[in-house]
């Protein structure tokens, strides 16, 4: 059985009622339940909500005041989620979870936050399904406490992490790597390394379907080159489930096996270089929520298996 205790971050409180929505917020509870029943996860690491001091390492005071007010403003209006104290508490706890995962990875080699990955939020505004950018906050916190100097954010969600790229655009201590669908949301920011693929269009000449082989063959050399070039002290891995072939918001055609091999490729690349890694689960909007949950669970398992590889 895999050794997950002491490496998996989760809180039952990380939930908010958002009503009928394409974002299946219940997926975190479902993924944790499977890990507990099938993999013997007995003692998850329980995070505390991110503090104002931690959030202010990334987000502006005015924007945090808007969130605390509980009302939509010009800085929050680009969110595609409702606004409520419960939802903002969810995002604060998600940010605390990614902070705890990053600190645990630095100490113990790896960790997974069963949640997080809200990479569209900018320093001063919400976007998409994201009010707070937990990846950026976690990177800043472990830098501020002296745990690490150089952080790489490896973002393999089907959507570019535009908020993360924008936040770190002029920071040589944080490297942003993104392999994403070009012809999809959002409006792109410039990452340190953008690898763009387009969804298959049968009416467009030279438009290949993004299958497992094309995706993995593109990712492996680009990621290895980026890690060798930047040499991070920590990798924050955004392991979105939305490159999946039956995802409602993506145009890639990766299978369960392809996504598992994607995760293994990232973890093996980190392990071979002695780089600790903290994982967020990111997007996932499959027609059947159980498919998204299965992908997330396999990401956690792959993270644990890589340690003994």
């Amino acid at each position: 059985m895999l050794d997950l205790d002491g490496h998996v971050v989760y809180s039952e409180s990380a939930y908010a009622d958002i009503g009928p929505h394409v974002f299946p917020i219940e997926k975190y509870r479902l993924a944790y339940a499977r890990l507990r029943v099938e993999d013997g996860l007995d003692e998850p690491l329980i995070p505390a909500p991110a503090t104002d001091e931690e959030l202010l390492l990334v987000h502006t005071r005015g924007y945090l005041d808007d969130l605390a007010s509980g009302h939509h403003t010009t800085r929050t209006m680009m969110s595609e989620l409702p606004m409520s104290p419960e939802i903002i508490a969810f995002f604060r706890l998600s940010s605390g979870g990614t902070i705890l995962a990053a600190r645990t990875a630095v100490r113990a080699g790896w960790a997974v936050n069963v949640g997080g990955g809200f990479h569209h939020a900018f320093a001063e505004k919400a976007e998409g399904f994201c009010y707070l950018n937990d990846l950026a906050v976690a990177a800043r916190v472990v830098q501020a406490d002296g745990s690490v100097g150089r952080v790489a954010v490896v973002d393999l969600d089907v959507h570019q992490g535009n908020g993360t790229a924008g936040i770190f655009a002029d920071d040589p201590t944080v490297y942003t790597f993104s392999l994403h669908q070009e012809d999809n949301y959002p409006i792109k920011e410039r990452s340190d390394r953008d690898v763009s693929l387009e969804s298959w269009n049968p009416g467009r000449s030279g438009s290949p379907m993004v299958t497992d082989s094309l995706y993995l063959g593109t990712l492996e050399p680009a990621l290895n080159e980026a890690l060798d070039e930047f040499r991070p002290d920590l990798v924050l891995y955004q392991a979105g489930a939305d490159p999946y072939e039956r995802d409602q918001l993506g145009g890639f055609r990766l299978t369960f096996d392809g996504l598992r091999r994607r995760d293994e490729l990232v973890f093996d690349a980190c392990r071979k270089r002695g780089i600790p890694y903290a994982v967020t689960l990111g997007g996932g909007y499959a027609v059947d929520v159980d498919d998204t949950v299965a992908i997330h669970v396999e990401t956690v398992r792959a993270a644990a298996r890589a340690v003994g590889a």
Side-chain angles (χ1 to χ4, degrees), residues 9 11 45-51 54 92-100:
V9 177
S11 171
L45 301 171
I46 301 174
T51 64
E54 291 167 335
R92 281 183 171 268
L93 190 54
S94 296
S95 295
T98 303
I99 291 168
L100 180 55

Side-chain angles (χ1 to χ4, degrees), residues 27-302:
K27 68 181 184 172
Y28 307 118
R29 288 180 170 178
L30 295 172
Y32 171 72
R34 282 194 58 178
L35 292 166
R36 181 171 52 81
V37 172
E38 298 177 14
D39 298 273
L41 174 58
D42 289 327
E43 298 181 11
L45 301 171
I46 301 174
T51 64
D52 272 10
E53 181 182 11
E54 291 167 335
L55 295 175
L56 284 167
L57 293 172
V58 170
H59 295 288
T60 64
R61 178 76 266 175
Y63 177 55
L64 294 184
D65 288 345
D66 286 352
L67 297 181
S69 76
H71 298 96
H72 273 307
T73 69
T74 55
R75 288 179 283 226
T76 66
M77 64 187 298
M78 293 299 291
S79 169
E80 298 174 41
L81 291 176
M83 167 72 82
S84 70
E86 183 186 21
I87 288 171
I88 301 310
F90 164 78
F91 276 94
R92 281 183 171 268
L93 190 54
S94 296
S95 295
T98 303
I99 291 168
L100 180 55
R103 284 175 164 161
T104 301
V106 171
R107 173 180 54 82
W110 71 279
V112 179
N113 179 16
V114 181
F118 297 107
H119 59 171
H120 297 309
F122 286 78
E124 75 295 345
K125 66 175 182 175
E127 191 169 306
F129 305 150
C130 307
Y131 279 114
L132 294 170
N133 193 314
D134 58 292
L135 290 157
V137 171
R140 283 289 187 238
V141 167
V142 292
Q143 287 183 322
D145 67 19
S147 299
V148 300
R150 297 159 68 83
V151 178
V153 180
V154 174
D155 194 325
L156 300 186
D157 200 276
V158 80
H159 307 102
Q160 190 211 38
N162 58 328
T164 314
I167 288 166
F168 295 121
D170 299 315
D171 187 343
T173 70
V174 179
Y175 188 98
T176 51
F177 177 100
S178 179
L179 194 166
H180 54 263
Q181 182 183 337
E182 181 64 24
D183 54 329
N184 201 340
Y185 174 90
I187 297 173
K188 307 301 184 289
E189 295 285 326
R190 185 168 185 172
S191 307
D192 290 295
R193 183 71 176 266
D194 282 306
V195 184
S196 302
L197 296 170
E198 293 192 353
S199 60
W200 179 60
N201 183 340
R204 186 174 63 228
S205 177
S207 172
M209 187 177 292
V210 182
T211 58
D212 295 347
S213 59
L214 174 58
Y215 185 97
L216 297 169
T218 302
L219 172 62
E220 184 169 16
L223 178 62
N224 284 322
E225 183 178 298
L227 294 179
D228 286 339
E229 172 189 310
F230 185 68
R231 299 185 179 275
D233 303 311
L234 172 69
V235 162
L236 298 178
Y237 173 36
Q238 163 79 330
D242 45 14
Y244 175 54
E245 61 188 346
R246 297 191 67 210
D247 194 89
Q248 299 175 85
L249 301 185
F252 290 171
R253 294 293 180 264
L254 272 66
T255 64
F256 288 126
D257 183 62
L259 287 161
R260 176 186 55 77
R261 287 189 285 147
R262 174 202 67 171
D263 293 339
E264 291 172 347
L265 191 157
V266 174
F267 299 140
D268 288 347
C270 291
R271 181 183 56 81
K272 289 173 183 176
R273 293 167 175 81
I275 305 168
Y277 49 88
V279 185
T280 59
L281 298 184
Y285 318 95
V287 175
D288 184 345
V289 70
D290 287 342
D291 286 353
T292 296
V293 171
I295 293 164
H296 287 330
V297 167
E298 284 303 316
T299 293
V300 179
R301 293 169 176 164

